[in-house]
């Protein structure tokens, strides 16, 4: 399994059998999202709509020709021996505490389980944790600014899940335009403490390549 970071909340997960693109929003450049065989995961429905609109602007007949398998809601899915479970969650901007307009995901491939949290609220409920199950890697936004989880709330969720690796996303970056200013990733790293590594791409052949203890993996944004 390989995981690349594209900026904002967008990551690309791939192995020999599948290509998954998470939250390919309009403020990031993700060439893989134009691969119509890619599976698109949207933590909010509007993010999938943005992708379809972008494809339409590029001259693609979306209704006729698009092959993207788009997942933007809770449920259980399977594609090429990779399983995806969508879990309903309250979006960070939801004023209604009972609303569930966001979707978290648990993706299992190569015997590694990756949780994608998205723009939710902290802490997670017991039901959320049970639905996500045992997790090896957590992908979580950390930039705050009132739009998404800040360093403290992101760390709260990470500690609840207790993975081996956490990948921070959606933080301040001069090359990514945000509607709301975001905090530096350094704030999250300080909040977490412990092991911290910088890598360009996270590559894992199997669960045996996971670290023994929780490690913050800061991925370089790649285009």
């Amino acid at each position: 399994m390989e995981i690349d970071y594209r900026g904002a909340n967008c990551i690309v997960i791939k192995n020999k059998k599948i290509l998954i693109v998470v939250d390919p929003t309009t403020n990031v450049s993700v060439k893989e999202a134009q691969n119509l065989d890619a599976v698109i995961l949207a933590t909010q429905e509007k993010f999938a709509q943005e992708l379809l609109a972008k494809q339409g602007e590029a001259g693609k007949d979306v209704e006729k020709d698009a092959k993207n398998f788009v997942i933007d809601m809770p449920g259980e899915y399977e594609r090429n021996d990779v399983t995806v479970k969508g879990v309903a969650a309250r979006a960070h901007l939801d004023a209604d505490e009972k609303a569930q307009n966001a979707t978290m995901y648990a993706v299992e491939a190569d015997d590694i389980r990756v949780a994608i949290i998205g723009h939710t609220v902290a802490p997670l409920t017991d039901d959320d944790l049970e639905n996500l199950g045992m997790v090896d890697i957590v992908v979580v936004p950390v930039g705050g600014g009132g739009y998404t989880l800040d360093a403290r709330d992101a760390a709260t969720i990470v500690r609840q899940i207790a993975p081996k690796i956490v990948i921070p996303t959606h933080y301040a970056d001069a090359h990514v335009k945000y509607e709301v200013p975001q905090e530096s990733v350094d704030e999250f790293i300080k909040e977490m403490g412990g092991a911290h590594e910088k890598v360009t791409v996270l590559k894992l052949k199997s669960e045996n390549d996971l670290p023994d203890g929780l490690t913050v993996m800061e991925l370089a944004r790649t285009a």
Side-chain angles (χ1 to χ4, degrees):
M1 174 190 293
E2 292 187 10
I3 301 180
D4 294 74
Y5 178 50
R6 294 288 188 261
N9 198 53
C10 183
I11 64 166
V12 175
I13 303 172
K14 60 185 177 182
N15 64 13
K16 293 180 179 179
K17 296 182 178 181
I18 201 167
L19 172 64
I20 296 174
V21 181
V22 177
D23 287 347
T25 47
T26 55
N27 59 339
V28 295
S29 176
V30 196
K31 62 182 183 298
E32 289 90 348
Q34 302 307 312
N35 182 338
L36 296 181
D37 291 323
V39 175
I40 306 298
L41 298 188
T43 59
Q44 294 184 32
E45 185 179 357
K46 65 179 180 179
F47 297 156
Q49 293 171 347
E50 287 179 5
L51 172 66
L52 295 177
K54 187 185 293 186
Q55 289 178 336
E57 291 170 0
K60 298 181 184 296
D61 186 339
V62 173
E63 294 297 325
K64 180 179 178 181
D65 296 326
K67 298 178 183 178
N68 284 126
F69 181 26
V70 177
I71 302 173
D72 60 3
M73 64 182 66
E76 296 188 12
Y77 311 86
E78 185 170 352
R79 188 87 161 187
N80 298 343
D81 297 325
V82 174
T83 61
V84 176
K85 183 175 184 179
V87 178
R90 179 184 166 197
H92 195 82
L93 296 180
D94 279 342
D96 182 354
E97 294 183 2
K98 296 182 179 179
Q100 292 187 311
N101 294 316
T103 305
M104 300 183 294
Y105 294 98
V107 178
E108 188 164 350
D110 300 332
D111 294 323
I112 297 172
R113 193 171 178 91
V114 182
I116 299 160
I117 302 303
H119 305 301
T120 58
V121 296
L124 299 184
T125 67
D126 290 341
D127 285 344
D128 291 336
L129 296 170
E130 182 177 351
N131 284 322
L132 288 174
M134 296 294 293
V135 170
D136 301 301
I137 301 172
V138 169
V139 180
V140 61
V142 302
Y147 178 81
T148 192
L149 294 160
D150 60 18
R152 176 179 290 184
D153 283 344
T156 293
I157 288 178
V158 172
R159 292 178 181 124
Q160 284 183 286
I161 296 175
K164 294 296 183 66
I165 291 173
V166 55
I167 299 173
T169 64
H170 210 281
Y171 47 80
D173 185 332
H175 297 280
V176 179
K177 184 178 180 180
Y178 293 109
E179 293 183 7
V180 178
Q182 297 291 281
E183 297 174 357
S184 165
V185 68
D186 294 338
E187 297 301 316
F188 176 72
I189 293 168
K190 292 176 184 176
E191 184 69 33
M192 288 301 304
H196 167 224
E197 295 183 19
K198 291 185 177 183
V199 295
T200 301
V201 180
L202 180 60
K203 298 182 180 182
L204 302 169
K205 292 182 179 179
S206 72
E207 59 185 337
N208 294 328
D209 291 333
L210 293 165
D212 293 331
L214 174 59
T215 302
V216 177
M217 289 288 188
E218 183 184 346
L219 304 188
R221 177 184 48 78
T222 57

